[in-house]
């Protein structure tokens, strides 16, 4: 027996394994120095990064800047802790337990280096944060991921190795650092800057000819176009990136790109099922990646909803929720997004009580993750308002929509899409309450924005049919009301033939039939398709 507990602790403290762990942790802390401090670290340089980030956030003028800083910095703390843990574990696996070779250690360290570059680039953006960076801070921090790939040895070994000559390897490393900067700019909402920076990066990557790097650059190009709303360009870059990723065995990127392509259902309707099969096969091959599985199920659920397979689509959204809950914090915004999608599917299925409760949870998580005054919280509130309106709870719907509009009018572009969505929700709520004059005033504002900011023709159709009803009920301009309803019908007809679109077309046909001399036939019943 040891003579005392102190003697035992002293002996343990001098054990080679303990000393090695201390040395490896010190090395990890040193690498993080000047980037982001480990929680509890007293490093002066690291503390400066945190202080400058907080000062920049508060200087943005956003009312939720303090909340955004608290949540984003907590996410960065977790990422830094995870990075340090994997660094130490990788070193121990090779140098202490002799479980992995020096070659594997090199692969894992290269992966961790990419993760550190992404962290450093994002912290630089945060230390000079604009209002847009504060708006996107929580999502940007969460987009760093969880470094899961740095544990998947089979995946790391499969990727084609970088060129062997030192000069080319140096160029590859330099481009990867610039790519990290591009991703960081995109994540904080500086899309135009990121697109301008990624174009020459793609040219240089093509000249080098190293497939995994070029696939990553083109994938970044695609994501930026998606964020900008130019989805045709996003799909084009994604398709090229996918081919490259498969050719050079960059399976993780290929799986992520295929999952993204599943989400482009409305652009590539005939290819939706093919991309679904490809994405699922790749995800099964690489294993793990619960968060990516979550987005796969989310996107497949959307595909199935568009195809009229509502129950299957709803089940996919529940699978997405379970996958994300395995790896994400309970208040992670991705959880709120999936809950909102579940609520939409429940609404379509006529299960309004469940839809209301699910969307209420999404609002709560959005408020916890983003803050009660954040424009993204307003989006959850707008969806909540629409579901409440369809359940006949006009007054509650108006409260939620009013909150959403108040947030976005103070925090977002007054002529932007967020204001348009909130106005539409509030106008429909006022109609439900029978406050037709108020509804008309709100919906006329939304209609003035519709042609320039509405995300799709379905959004334009929704506001125009609502405005038609408001005009009719206030005896304002019934000829214009009929014209608006007819326009809404044409705009819905331009959309994919989903259950919701067909229902809205039926409502418009019935409304017009009661108000015109020549009744307009409702569309034929929907036949579910498995294209």
């Amino acid at each position: 027996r040891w003579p005392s507990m102190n003697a035992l602790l002293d002996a343990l403290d001098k054990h080679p394994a303990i000393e090695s762990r201390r040395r490896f942790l010190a090395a990890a802390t040193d690498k993080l120095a000047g980037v982001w401090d480990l929680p509890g670290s007293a490093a002066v340089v690291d503390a400066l990064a945190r202080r400058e980030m907080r000062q920049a956030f508060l200087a943005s003028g956003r009312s939720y800047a303090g909340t955004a800083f608290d949540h984003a910095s907590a996410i960065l703390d977790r990422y830094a802790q995870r990075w340090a843990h994997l660094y130490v574990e990788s070193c121990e696996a090779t140098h202490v337990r002799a479980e992995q070779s020096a070659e594997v250690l090199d692969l894992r360290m290269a992966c961790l280096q990419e993760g550190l570059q992404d962290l450093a680039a994002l912290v630089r953006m945060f230390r000079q944060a604009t209002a847009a960076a504060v708006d996107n801070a929580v999502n940007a921090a969460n987009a760093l991921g969880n470094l899961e790939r740095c544990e998947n040895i089979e995946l790391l070994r499969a990727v084609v190795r970088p060129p062997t000559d030192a000069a080319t390897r140096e160029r590859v490393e330099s481009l990867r650092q610039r790519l990290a900067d591009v991703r960081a700019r995109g994540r904080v909402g500086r899309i135009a800057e990121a697109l301008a920076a990624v174009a020459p990066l793609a040219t240089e990557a093509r000249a080098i000819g190293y497939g995994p790097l070029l696939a990553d650059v083109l994938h970044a190009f695609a994501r930026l176009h998606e964020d900008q709303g130019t989805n045709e360009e996003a799909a084009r870059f994604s398709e090229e990136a996918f081919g490259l990723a498969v050719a050079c065995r960059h399976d993780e990127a290929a799986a992520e790109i295929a999952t993204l392509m599943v989400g482009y259902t409305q652009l590539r309707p005939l290819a939706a099922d093919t991309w679904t099969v490809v994405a699922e096969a790749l995800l099964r091959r690489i294993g793990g990646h619960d968060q990516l599985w979550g987005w796969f199920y989310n996107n497949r659920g959307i595909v199935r909803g568009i195809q009229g397979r509502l129950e299957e689509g709803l089940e996919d959204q529940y699978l997405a929720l379970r996958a994300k809950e395995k790896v994400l914090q309970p208040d992670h915004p991705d959880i709120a997004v999936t809950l909102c999608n579940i609520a939409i599917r429940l609404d379509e299925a006529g299960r309004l009580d469940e839809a209301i409760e699910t969307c209420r949870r999404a609002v709560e998580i959005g408020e916890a993750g983003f803050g009660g005054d954040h424009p993204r919280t307003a989006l959850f509130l707008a969806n909540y308002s629409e579901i409440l309106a369809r359940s006949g709870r006009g007054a509650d719907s108006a409260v939620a929509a009013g909150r959403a509009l108040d947030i976005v009018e103070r925090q977002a572009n007054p002529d932007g899409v967020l204001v348009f969505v909130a106005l539409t929700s509030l106008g429909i709520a006022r109609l439900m309450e029978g406050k037709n004059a108020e509804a008309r005033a709100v919906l006329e504002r939304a209609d003035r924005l519709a042609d320039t900011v509405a995300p799709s023709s379905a959004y334009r159709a929704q506001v125009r049919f609502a405005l038609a009803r408001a005009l009719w009920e206030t005896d304002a301009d019934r000829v214009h009301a009929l014209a608006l309803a007819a326009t809404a019908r044409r705009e819905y007809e331009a959309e994919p033939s989903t259950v919701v679109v067909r229902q809205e077309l039926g409502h418009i046909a019935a409304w017009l039939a009661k108000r015109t001399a020549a009744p307009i036939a409702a569309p034929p019943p929907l036949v579910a398709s498995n294209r």
Side-chain angles (χ1 to χ4, degrees):
R1 294 180 59 180
W2 291 91
S4 70
M5 182 59 71
N6 286 338
L8 173 59
L9 292 174
D10 184 60
L12 287 173
D13 198 46
K14 294 177 181 177
H15 190 280
I18 301 297
E19 290 184 349
S20 296
R21 170 168 283 268
R22 186 183 297 113
R23 186 171 69 253
F24 297 144
L25 182 57
T29 302
D30 184 60
K31 288 183 177 294
L32 285 164
V35 177
W36 191 256
D37 60 300
L38 286 171
S41 169
V44 175
V45 175
D46 295 341
L48 178 62
R50 191 182 296 265
R51 286 201 308 272
E52 287 186 351
M53 174 179 162
R54 186 173 187 277
Q55 290 167 357
F57 273 46
L58 296 179
S60 71
R62 295 304 202 212
S63 63
Y64 47 84
T67 301
F69 169 79
D70 290 341
H71 285 291
S73 61
I75 295 165
L76 296 183
D77 282 344
R78 290 195 293 269
Y79 186 89
Q81 287 176 312
R82 175 72 171 153
W83 190 94
H85 168 76
L86 287 176
Y87 184 94
V88 171
E89 198 280 328
S90 300
C91 293
E92 289 181 333
T94 299
H95 296 303
V96 177
R97 301 191 301 274
E99 294 172 351
Q100 294 174 355
S101 66
E103 173 231 5
V104 169
L105 179 61
D106 287 344
L107 290 172
R108 296 187 73 179
M109 287 300 168
C111 178
L112 288 169
Q113 179 62 24
E114 287 184 38
L116 186 60
Q117 288 172 346
D118 274 346
L119 175 62
L122 185 59
V123 171
R124 284 196 298 271
M125 296 295 111
F126 283 161
R127 291 170 76 168
Q128 302 172 1
T130 61
V134 175
D135 291 345
N136 292 287
V138 175
N139 271 1
N142 278 319
L144 289 170
N146 60 10
L147 299 168
E148 187 176 11
R149 64 186 293 264
C150 299
E151 296 181 283
N152 193 326
I153 310 307
E154 183 179 349
L155 192 66
L156 294 175
R157 275 181 163 156
V159 180
V160 172
R161 300 294 177 84
T164 54
D165 66 286
T168 306
R169 288 177 71 96
E170 186 175 337
R171 288 179 66 196
V172 168
E173 176 62 20
S174 173
L175 289 182
R176 285 217 175 272
Q177 289 180 354
R178 289 164 57 192
L179 179 59
D181 182 74
V182 163
R183 283 194 290 250
R185 290 177 188 276
R187 285 166 179 162
V188 301
R190 294 163 65 172
I191 307 300
E193 290 178 26
L195 281 169
V198 79
L201 196 57
T203 300
E204 293 178 52
R206 290 185 194 280
I208 293 174
Y210 176 48
L213 172 62
L214 181 55
D216 286 342
V217 171
L218 294 175
H219 186 199
F221 224 146
R223 296 310 296 255
L224 289 167
H225 275 292
E226 182 187 35
D227 290 339
Q228 185 179 247
T230 47
N231 287 337
E232 284 286 1
E233 287 295 292
R236 182 171 66 82
F237 280 110
S238 291
E239 288 167 343
E240 184 181 359
F242 178 80
L244 281 164
V246 170
C248 62
R249 301 176 185 174
H250 194 358
D251 283 352
E252 183 183 41
E256 188 172 344
I257 295 163
T259 298
L260 182 67
M261 289 300 298
V262 173
Y264 292 146
T265 306
Q266 295 188 25
L267 287 176
R268 305 283 195 272
L270 297 178
D273 285 336
T274 299
W275 281 113
T276 297
V277 170
V278 170
E280 184 173 12
L282 285 166
L283 282 167
R284 292 192 184 283
R285 186 162 81 183
I286 66 177
H289 287 73
D290 286 310
Q291 192 169 0
L292 190 52
W293 270 110
W295 279 107
F296 166 76
Y297 288 128
N298 178 86
N299 292 349
R300 190 175 72 177
I302 292 171
V303 171
R304 289 176 168 177
I306 288 174
Q307 293 172 338
R309 300 156 64 184
L310 296 185
E311 287 301 320
E312 292 174 88
L314 179 58
E315 177 58 29
D316 269 342
Q317 296 299 341
Y318 279 117
L319 288 172
L321 180 63
R322 289 196 286 273
K324 291 179 181 182
E325 285 177 336
K326 290 180 183 179
V327 292
L328 301 178
Q329 298 291 315
D331 63 351
H332 193 294
D334 260 9
I335 300 294
V337 170
T338 296
L339 285 171
C340 204
N341 286 337
I342 290 172
I344 291 168
R345 298 282 89 82
L346 288 168
D347 179 19
E348 291 172 346
R351 295 160 61 179
L352 283 172
D353 288 343
E354 294 173 75
I356 289 169
E357 176 58 23
T358 303
C359 202
R360 183 192 62 76
R361 286 176 56 206
V363 170
E364 288 181 351
I365 293 172
E367 289 176 325
F370 293 116
D373 285 340
H374 196 285
R376 292 181 188 272
T377 301
L379 277 178
F380 294 128
L381 283 164
N383 281 320
Y384 188 38
S385 170
E386 290 193 21
I387 294 172
L388 287 168
R390 276 190 283 278
S391 72
R393 293 170 56 178
D396 292 336
S397 173
V399 170
R403 276 192 62 199
L405 183 60
D406 179 61
I407 292 168
V408 296
E409 284 189 320
R410 286 185 290 108
Q411 309 289 1
N413 178 359
D415 297 320
V417 64
L418 295 180
V419 171
F420 167 78
V421 170
L423 285 168
T424 303
S425 297
L426 182 58
I428 291 171
R430 293 299 186 217
L431 273 180
M432 291 293 302
E433 292 183 293
K435 297 178 179 179
N436 299 311
E438 293 180 37
R440 175 190 165 193
V442 171
L443 291 165
E444 284 176 337
R445 281 185 63 195
D447 186 50
R448 286 193 292 271
L449 298 174
D451 285 329
T452 55
V453 303
S456 68
S457 59
Y459 275 93
R460 291 191 293 273
Q462 183 183 33
V463 74
R464 281 164 181 160
F465 183 43
L467 179 55
R469 281 143 44 209
L471 288 171
W472 188 275
E473 295 301 328
T474 56
D475 293 321
D477 186 342
R478 290 191 164 183
V479 173
H480 186 42
L482 293 173
L484 279 170
T487 299
R489 182 180 58 188
R490 289 194 298 272
E491 287 172 328
Y492 273 126
E493 288 170 345
E495 288 286 300
S497 186
T498 67
V499 171
V500 171
V501 166
R502 302 288 294 192
Q503 287 173 343
E504 291 302 316
L505 283 169
H507 293 156
I508 293 172
W511 189 87
L512 284 170
K514 290 180 180 179
R515 291 158 180 82
T516 57
I520 300 173
L526 175 69
V527 177
S529 170
N530 189 28
R531 292 181 296 159

